[in-house]
Amino acid sequence: MVAKRKWILVLLIVILAGCSSTRIVSEVQLIHSLGLDLEDQKMKGAAITHIYGKEKTQVELLETKSSNLFTILPDFNAITPSQVELGQLRSVIVGRKYAENGVETLVHTLCRDPAIGFRLQLAVAEPKALTILKGMRHMQVPFFISDSVAQNIKTLNMPKTNLHIFLFHLYGEGRDPYLPYFVMHNDRVKLDGVALFRDDKFVHRIHSKESFLLKIMVEKAKSGQIPFEVTINNRKESGLLKNLHSHAVFDLKTTKPIPSIMVKLMVNGQIKDYSKWLQLSNPQVLHQMEKELSSYLQMEATSFVKHLQKLEVDPVGFGDFVRSRSTSWNYSHFKKIYPQIKIAVTASIKLEQTGE
């Protein structure tokens, strides 16, 4: 009986080993970044790949045109001597025109592929994805998009984003998705703000200041910075407020006939560089600076929220918040009344580590 079990075990090992699919890295081309553009109702695809040589590894740019999204990968295989694989795909960037026409089919395709992880970074390019990938090839940095987004999430004003988060925002009623926005600047690829979507279509790009405001509204942030200009003792002072820790508290005042929402922003911040005359070591001056900065942040955040309502986009998730507090919530109705919703914003800033 023992001998029989041993032979069965050996047979299973042989069968399982025979079912495995082996890929040798030097015999395949791994796509690290994929770019998609829409030109004359046709799909234009581009991809950053590695070619592994005996002496050094090179970054190559592949380009192809296709009638639809689903034939892009076979078309890449038709122009390469090695099989193209998506197992190391780190980012997908789409041109602005592509994004304006909707990305739902794309994200459906990506999330159905078991070789693609949900931490994949999606992004929008201006004017074209191909332009951004050419810049990446020139810099010889195949992971620039994913690494740049990760760095800006950790240290600057980019809210957390990836394929998983995008899908949650796209299909969760009461919120709209957003993505990083890339441009070319002085022959270098640059992360330049956040692309806002209405459903699956790109509608507007916000810059760094607005990205900071979005970040502190949608997450408990421990990074980010915003320029400011305030008046202290009848003298103007400008500088940079660095966020050390922040969170937002939402309160629903009423739901009928039009919802009324209160948003309270609380920020622990730091100002390192400021004029010598501004004595922040003085408790009275420090308190006045906190008060002025709070008023400034409140004004900027209020203006930002009104701008979102005018655009009829809801990346903050006000609709989702109202839904969670209402027993008679209807998404179609909410979208109609969203521009008229009363959203009041207050801000409270406490300064720490002033450098004195």
Side-chain angles (χ1 to χ4, degrees):
M1 181 63 71
V2 175
K4 185 177 180 181
R5 287 179 179 177
K6 287 182 178 180
W7 280 111
I8 292 174
L9 180 61
V10 171
L11 181 62
L12 287 173
I13 292 173
V14 171
I15 292 173
L16 291 174
C19 292
S20 65
S21 179
T22 304
R23 294 288 187 272
I24 301 173
V25 70
S26 60
E27 295 179 357
V28 298
Q29 281 194 249
L30 300 173
I31 292 181
H32 302 303
S33 296
L34 178 66
L36 298 169
D37 289 302
L38 196 60
E39 291 184 2
D40 301 324
Q41 302 304 314
K42 285 194 174 184
M43 200 78 62
K44 189 166 185 179
I48 291 289
T49 74
H50 265 146
I51 298 179
Y52 296 91
K54 292 182 178 179
E55 296 183 356
K56 70 174 185 176
T57 301
Q58 292 184 335
V59 175
E60 184 184 23
L61 177 65
L62 303 176
E63 296 181 51
T64 186
K65 276 191 176 182
S66 180
S67 58
N68 60 69
L69 175 65
F70 309 107
T71 59
I72 289 289
L73 193 61
D75 288 345
F76 281 143
N77 274 312
I79 60 173
T80 57
S82 304
Q83 184 175 349
V84 172
E85 295 281 352
L86 295 179
Q88 290 296 314
L89 185 63
R90 297 270 293 273
S91 61
V92 175
I93 187 165
V94 298
R96 179 167 176 154
K97 186 176 180 181
Y98 187 111
E100 289 172 344
N101 280 268
V103 298
E104 186 172 20
T105 301
L106 171 63
V107 295
H108 263 178
T109 303
L110 294 174
C111 68
R112 285 199 304 265
D113 192 330
I116 296 175
F118 277 91
R119 292 184 179 180
L120 173 82
Q121 289 293 352
L122 301 174
V124 176
E126 182 183 313
K128 296 180 181 180
L130 177 61
T131 307
I132 300 301
L133 293 193
K134 283 183 176 179
M136 291 168 59
R137 181 188 60 177
H138 177 72
M139 295 188 298
Q140 290 290 298
V141 185
F143 303 117
F144 182 88
I145 292 174
S146 55
D147 289 349
S148 177
V149 173
Q151 185 262 132
N152 276 266
I153 289 173
K154 184 177 180 180
T155 64
L156 291 172
N157 295 354
M158 187 69 215
K160 291 178 182 177
T161 176
N162 54 37
L163 176 60
H164 177 75
I165 293 173
F166 185 86
L167 287 169
F168 173 72
H169 290 176
L170 178 61
Y171 294 113
E173 287 190 350
R175 57 179 67 241
D176 287 311
Y178 49 82
L179 290 176
Y181 196 90
F182 283 87
V183 300
M184 290 299 298
H185 179 71
N186 294 333
D187 296 326
R188 291 189 64 87
V189 180
K190 178 184 178 183
L191 176 57
D192 192 28
V194 175
L196 302 181
F197 286 72
R198 186 185 304 119
D199 296 325
D200 74 319
K201 294 179 174 61
F202 166 77
V203 293
H204 186 70
R205 179 261 297 260
I206 58 175
H207 293 278
S208 179
K209 181 188 290 186
E210 292 80 12
S211 301
F212 173 84
L213 297 171
L214 177 61
K215 180 168 186 166
I216 64 174
M217 287 186 186
V218 300
E219 63 186 69
K220 292 182 178 180
K222 294 183 179 180
S223 64
Q225 55 190 28
I226 184 173
F228 67 84
E229 184 174 301
V230 297
T231 301
I232 304 290
N233 296 331
N234 297 319
R235 297 178 68 173
K236 286 187 176 181
E237 174 70 9
S238 60
L240 200 65
L241 173 67
K242 181 180 179 181
N243 176 41
L244 301 176
H245 176 75
S246 67
H247 69 282
V249 176
F250 294 76
D251 186 23
L252 184 62
K253 296 299 183 181
T254 183
T255 58
K256 296 180 180 180
I258 301 293
S260 177
I261 302 172
M262 172 68 74
V263 181
K264 185 175 182 181
L265 302 176
M266 287 167 280
V267 178
N268 284 20
Q270 177 187 37
I271 303 174
K272 278 191 174 181
D273 300 317
Y274 50 88
S275 303
K276 290 183 178 180
W277 63 266
L278 189 63
Q279 301 296 321
L280 292 182
S281 57
N282 185 326
Q284 291 183 341
V285 177
L286 179 65
H287 178 71
Q288 187 178 0
M289 174 60 89
E290 289 175 338
K291 183 178 179 181
E292 293 295 329
L293 283 175
S294 297
S295 297
Y296 175 80
L297 184 63
Q298 178 174 316
M299 178 185 66
E300 291 293 332
T302 299
S303 176
F304 174 60
V305 169
K306 289 181 178 179
H307 186 49
L308 294 177
Q309 290 180 280
K310 186 177 180 180
L311 292 170
E312 298 183 15
V313 296
D314 186 14
V316 178
F318 292 115
D320 191 27
F321 173 70
V322 174
R323 178 199 58 77
S324 68
R325 301 294 193 277
S326 175
T327 57
S328 58
W329 188 81
N330 180 277
Y331 188 33
S332 298
H333 175 67
F334 179 85
K335 288 195 289 187
K336 291 179 181 178
I337 65 172
Y338 173 60
Q340 286 79 47
I341 290 177
K342 300 173 183 178
I343 304 175
V345 183
T346 63
S348 175
I349 294 179
K350 179 177 177 56
L351 292 178
E352 301 179 0
Q353 305 174 17
T354 59
E356 292 188 353

